[in-house]
């Protein structure tokens, strides 16, 4: 990324200010704005998240907020109620309180003398979520949003459930927030009552994982904050962004298809990161695109090119060898004038005996096929979402295909490009009343290497919808559609496509309560592919062109002690246990600007024993610590989730320390009935 030191406007920064809310609670904020806004007010841009503006996101914030301020915007970074240095207690995601707080902050910002009265929201992940959700509440000053790595449906397409199956990321994410919610505010900001605020958080933030496990279907809990309940409520322009290694790329397609407002979509090769920091690369000049978006909608500058390119800009990925991490993904930028695109043609390829047939190919009747996958299928699947682009992407799928039902195409005679969401249409039966199916689409190179390009999960009890799932009748024949994640992928001539079907995919999703045998009727099943017609040249007006990534100079952060990153699969041939171990240890870092040392360590383990479905276990351990002079605090959190055929069993522990003195300790232990999951 190129550091820009000469911006059009001189900026001023307020490292800390308080924003009063109607109930008397104060939110902690940081503000960057042009010096000239003292006399010439500018539009305001709000990012409102719970990840600690003073330390844990300070370096990232320092790259994009000063940059946008240098182009004429007042950028406000706010800690949510109960997080960072803000007052109050944070007890869950996207609560009514959070959204009404956001409206109050926008109203406060619009009234400030440095603000023109026109505002916007932006954010990645949580900040992308609440930007969409608050937009749907139509606050009067809000003129546009940028939502990155977010979703319009909190149940169907978020970190908690996928296709009605429980994601292990539900545990991982709950444990992350369990640790973050245990952190104290900074005494240098909030003063002597920091300990009182901290103890209030420790006592009252709660165990979010328990709440999420008690809502296993798409009920009113998940409908709240899901803007797909009423897309028409969003009345401002939306710039929606994600990456193919992210978990939220599907929402970009839906937002373009469903919103009735000016909309741009952008999907690159990236993980869960802003595109100017995008990994895998290539990263792009995203902040230039954002400034042009704000200029268009907040300053009425119609000459900046914000709406002149394609409605949907996509990184069309070329074939790549399977790897758990990539520095760059080969490919090219392509564009579509809108979505759905009239030139994307769904093509149906019937299935045969372990074969993806050509649509017009003659064939003899095919016998049924069946599979009962081992619990090891999924160990090389990577994460549901690559959050920070460590080695957490899917490895060679041949290690998974041995426990799956596999269908291969013939070698391609010519290049094939797909853009959109494939669908597996399966006529099947199962021998248990609760069952799931995982479907993977891979690119098979001539040497046999298998690179996963998309996948889908379906809890078969949800095949008619997730609002009111029903038990299955063992042996009953049914036809289901399994949507795979949206994708943009080219397959070279000589390569083959592979569809792999399995009855488990652990630890991406929690397995069914007991082993399941799945029978598929190939003659009544098919793979539907979104084929993008081959073109000698793309229309030049639809080929997006991006500048090099730019940003303001990041604040200094020093590494005092090295960290550790690990992603390893262990198989014990004595007791037949298998374990995926993940370590995300940032070591000890120091923020010289505020003389603060921070420790952040996370350990995750996902395990099973042979074919014992009662052995499934996920556990996480976190350490977070903060030290300055004689202020030394840390918290440790631990969460363990296991299950029986009828219950999820949850244990959690929280301990907080000042120096070596433990000042708080809590534990939870509960069993939650499984409800067709």
């Amino acid at each position: 990324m190129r550091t820009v030191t000469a911006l059009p406007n001189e900026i001023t920064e307020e490292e800390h200010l308080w924003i009063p809310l109607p109930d008397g609670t104060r939110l902690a904020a940081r503000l960057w704005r042009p010096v000239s806004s003292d006399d010439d007010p500018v539009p305001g841009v709000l990012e409102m998240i719970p990840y600690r503006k003073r330390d844990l996101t300070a370096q990232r914030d320092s790259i994009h907020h000063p940059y946008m301020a240098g182009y004429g915007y007042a950028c406000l970074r706010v800690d949510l109620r109960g997080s960072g240095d803000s007052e109050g207690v944070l007890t869950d995601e996207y609560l009514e309180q959070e959204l009404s707080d956001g409206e109050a902050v926008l109203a406060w910002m619009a009234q400030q003398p440095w603000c023109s009265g026109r505002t916007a929201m932006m954010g990645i992940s949580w900040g992308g979520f609440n930007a969409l959700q608050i937009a749907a509440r139509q606050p009067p000053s809000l003129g546009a949003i940028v939502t990155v790595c977010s979703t319009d449906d909190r149940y169907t397409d978020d970190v908690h459930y996928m296709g009605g199956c429980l994601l292990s990321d539900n545990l991982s994410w709950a444990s992350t927030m369990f640790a973050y919610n245990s952190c104290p505010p900074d005494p240098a900001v909030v003063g002597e009552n920091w300990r009182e605020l901290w103890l209030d958080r420790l006592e009252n933030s709660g165990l979010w994982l328990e709440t999420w496990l008690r809502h296993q279907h798409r009920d009113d809990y998940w409908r709240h904050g899901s803007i797909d309940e009423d897309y028409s409520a969003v009345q401002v322009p939306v710039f929606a962004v994600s990456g193919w290694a992210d978990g939220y790329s599907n929402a970009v397609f839906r937002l373009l298809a469903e919103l009735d407002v000016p909309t741009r979509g952008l999907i690159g090769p990236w993980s869960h990161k802003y595109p100017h920091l995008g990994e895998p690369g290539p990263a792009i000049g995203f902040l230039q695109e954002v400034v042009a978006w704000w200029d268009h909608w907040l300053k009425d500058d119609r000459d900046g090119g914000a709406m002149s390119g394609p409605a949907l800009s996509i990184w069309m990925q070329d074939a790549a060898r399977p790897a758990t991490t990539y520095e760059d993904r080969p490919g090219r930028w392509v564009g579509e004038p809108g979505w759905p695109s009239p030139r994307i043609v769904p093509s149906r390829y019937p299935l045969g005996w372990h074969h993806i047939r050509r649509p017009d190919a003659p064939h003899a009747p095919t016998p049924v096929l069946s599979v009962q996958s081992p619990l090891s299928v999924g160990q090389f699947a990577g994460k549901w979402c690559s959050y920070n682009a460590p080695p957490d992407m899917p490895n060679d799928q041949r290690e998974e295909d041995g426990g799956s039902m596999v269908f291969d195409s013939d070698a391609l005679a010519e290049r094939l490009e797909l853009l959109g969401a494939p669908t597996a249409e399966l006529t099947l039966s199962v021998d248990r009343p609760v069952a799931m199916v995982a479907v993977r689409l891979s690119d098979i190179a001539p040497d046999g290497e298998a690179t996963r390009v998309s996948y889908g999960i379906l809890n078969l009890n949800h095949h008619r919808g997730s609002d009111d799932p029903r038990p299955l009748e063992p042996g009953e024949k049914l036809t289901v559609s399994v949507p795979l994640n949206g994708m943009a992928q080219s397959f070279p001539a000589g390569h083959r496509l592979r569809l792999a079907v399995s009855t488990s995919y652990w630890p991406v999703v929690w397995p069914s309560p007991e082993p399941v045998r799945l029978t598929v009727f190939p003659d009544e099943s098919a793979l539907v592919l979104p084929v993008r017609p081959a073109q000698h040249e793309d229309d030049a007006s639809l080929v997006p062109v991006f500048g090099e990534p730019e940003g303001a100079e990041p604040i200094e952060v020093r590494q005092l002690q090295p960290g550790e990153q690990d992603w390893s699969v262990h198989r014990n041939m004595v007791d037949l246990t298998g374990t995926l171990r993940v370590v995300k240890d940032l070591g000890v870092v120091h923020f010289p600007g505020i003389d603060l040392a921070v420790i952040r360590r996370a350990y995750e383990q996902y395990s099973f024993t042979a074919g014992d479905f009662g052995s499934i276990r996920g556990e996480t351990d976190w350490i977070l610590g903060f030290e300055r002079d004689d202020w030394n605090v840390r918290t440790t959190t631990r969460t363990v989730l296991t299950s029986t055929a009828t219950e999820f069993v949850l244990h959690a522990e929280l301990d907080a320390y000042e120096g070596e003195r433990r000042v708080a300790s809590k534990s939870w232990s509960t069993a939650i009935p499984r409800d067709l999951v």
Side-chain angles (χ1 to χ4, degrees), residues 557-618:
V557 179
R558 297 173 182 166
Q559 192 78 41
L560 299 185
Q561 294 180 18
E564 176 190 2
Q565 300 290 318
D566 183 42
W567 184 282
S568 54
V569 174
H570 302 268
R571 297 297 299 274
N572 188 315
M573 294 294 103
V574 176
D575 61 11
L576 300 182
T577 57
T579 303
L580 171 63
R581 178 176 182 262
V582 180
V583 178
K584 295 178 287 187
D585 178 2
L586 300 186
V588 181
V589 297
H590 182 252
F591 295 84
I594 56 174
D595 189 24
L596 181 70
V598 177
I599 301 169
R600 181 181 178 273
R601 298 183 178 125
Y603 307 87
E604 302 178 12
Q605 284 201 148
Y606 305 94
S607 60
F608 68 95
T609 301
D612 182 2
F613 277 57
S615 68
I616 298 296
R617 178 184 178 93

Side-chain angles (χ1 to χ4, degrees), residues 128-129 131-133 135 145-153 157 226-228 230-232 234 236 238-242 248-267 311-312 338-340:
F129 273 67
L132 272 174
Q133 293 164 2
I145 68 168
V146 173
T147 179
V148 182
C149 304
S150 73
T151 187
D152 53 347
D153 192 316
D157 201 24
S226 294
I227 69 155
D228 63 349
D230 180 11
Y231 285 108
S232 67
V234 176
V236 297
V238 175
F239 188 0
V241 183
S242 189
Y248 296 100
S249 55
N250 295 324
V252 175
F253 292 104
R254 290 196 301 271
L255 290 170
L256 263 68
E258 301 294 342
L259 290 175
D260 190 22
V261 293
T263 310
R264 277 191 65 188
L266 169 64
I267 307 177
L312 178 61
W339 194 263

Side-chain angles (χ1 to χ4, degrees), residues 243-247 268-273 278-281 317 320-330 378-397 399-400 450-453 455 505 508 566-569 580 582:
W244 296 129
D246 182 49
W270 319 296
S271 63
H272 200 67
K273 290 192 171 189
E279 300 175 36
Q317 300 194 139
R321 298 184 62 180
T324 58
T325 186
Y326 297 91
E327 182 175 348
D328 290 285
R329 281 300 301 257
Q379 292 283 290
F380 299 95
K383 269 279 194 184
W384 169 80
C385 175
S386 179
Y387 295 100
N388 300 299
D392 60 1
M393 296 179 190
N395 200 10
D396 194 323
Q397 294 297 284
E399 306 215 38
E400 312 278 40
T451 303
R452 196 190 76 192
V453 296
Y455 75 103
Y505 207 38
V508 176
D566 183 42
W567 184 282
S568 54
V569 174
L580 171 63
V582 180

Side-chain angles (χ1 to χ4, degrees), residues 24-251:
T25 301
R26 299 181 303 169
L27 300 186
R30 184 178 231 147
L31 175 67
W32 299 262
R33 61 184 177 88
V35 172
S36 61
S37 63
D38 286 338
D39 303 309
D40 185 13
V42 297
V45 177
L46 170 63
E47 183 175 20
M48 188 172 172
I49 51 178
Y51 307 133
R52 301 182 63 89
K53 66 174 178 59
R54 188 161 167 81
D55 39 65
L56 296 184
T57 68
Q59 188 172 56
R60 185 188 76 184
D61 296 343
S62 70
I63 293 171
H64 63 264
H65 285 302
Y67 182 93
M68 291 186 294
Y71 280 92
Y73 295 92
C75 296
L76 191 68
R77 166 67 175 87
V78 177
D79 283 339
L80 290 182
R81 178 189 294 252
S83 71
D85 296 320
S86 290
E87 297 174 346
V89 177
L90 184 60
T91 59
D92 204 348
E93 306 170 313
Y94 320 124
L95 295 174
E96 174 64 26
Q97 182 68 70
E98 173 188 335
L99 304 184
S100 62
D101 285 353
E103 291 180 280
V105 172
L106 288 173
W108 176 89
M109 184 162 55
Q111 295 168 1
Q112 299 310 299
W114 38 259
C115 182
S116 67
R118 303 174 75 172
T119 66
M121 289 189 71
M122 71 172 292
I124 182 171
S125 198
W126 194 309
F129 273 67
N130 63 27
L132 272 174
Q133 293 164 2
I134 292 173
R137 298 162 74 96
Q138 301 179 12
S141 70
L142 189 67
I145 68 168
V146 173
T147 179
V148 182
C149 304
S150 73
T151 187
D152 53 347
D153 192 316
R154 293 184 55 217
Y155 179 81
T156 303
D157 201 24
D158 191 12
V159 71
H160 308 291
Y161 295 89
M162 181 179 185
C165 292
L166 176 68
L167 286 162
S168 66
D169 278 52
N170 191 57
L171 166 63
S172 176
W173 175 237
S175 303
T176 301
M177 290 311 300
F178 190 30
Y180 274 48
N181 286 340
S182 71
C183 296
D186 193 329
V189 172
V190 304
E192 292 298 322
N193 70 333
W194 72 270
R195 186 180 291 105
E196 178 184 346
L197 294 170
W198 185 32
L199 294 176
D200 191 18
R201 294 179 186 181
L202 294 170
E203 179 63 28
N204 296 309
S205 287
L207 189 65
W208 296 11
L209 181 55
E210 179 180 357
T211 299
W212 299 341
L213 288 173
R214 293 193 183 279
H215 295 276
Q216 294 169 34
H217 305 162
R218 194 179 188 278
D219 56 15
D220 287 341
Y221 176 84
W222 301 112
R223 293 186 188 101
H224 169 76
S226 294
I227 69 155
D228 63 349
E229 291 291 304
D230 180 11
Y231 285 108
S232 67
V234 176
Q235 293 290 306
V236 297
V238 175
F239 188 0
V241 183
S242 189
W244 296 129
D246 182 49
Y248 296 100
S249 55
N250 295 324

Side-chain angles (χ1 to χ4, degrees), residues 275-313:
H276 57 290
L277 306 172
E279 300 175 36
I284 65 166
F286 178 63
L287 293 180
Q288 297 96 300
E289 301 296 314
V290 172
V291 168
W293 183 256
W294 299 146
D295 286 350
H296 189 102
W297 298 113
L298 302 181
K299 294 182 178 178
D300 301 320
D301 177 4
R302 302 298 191 245
D303 298 323
M307 301 299 291
S308 60
L312 178 61
S313 299

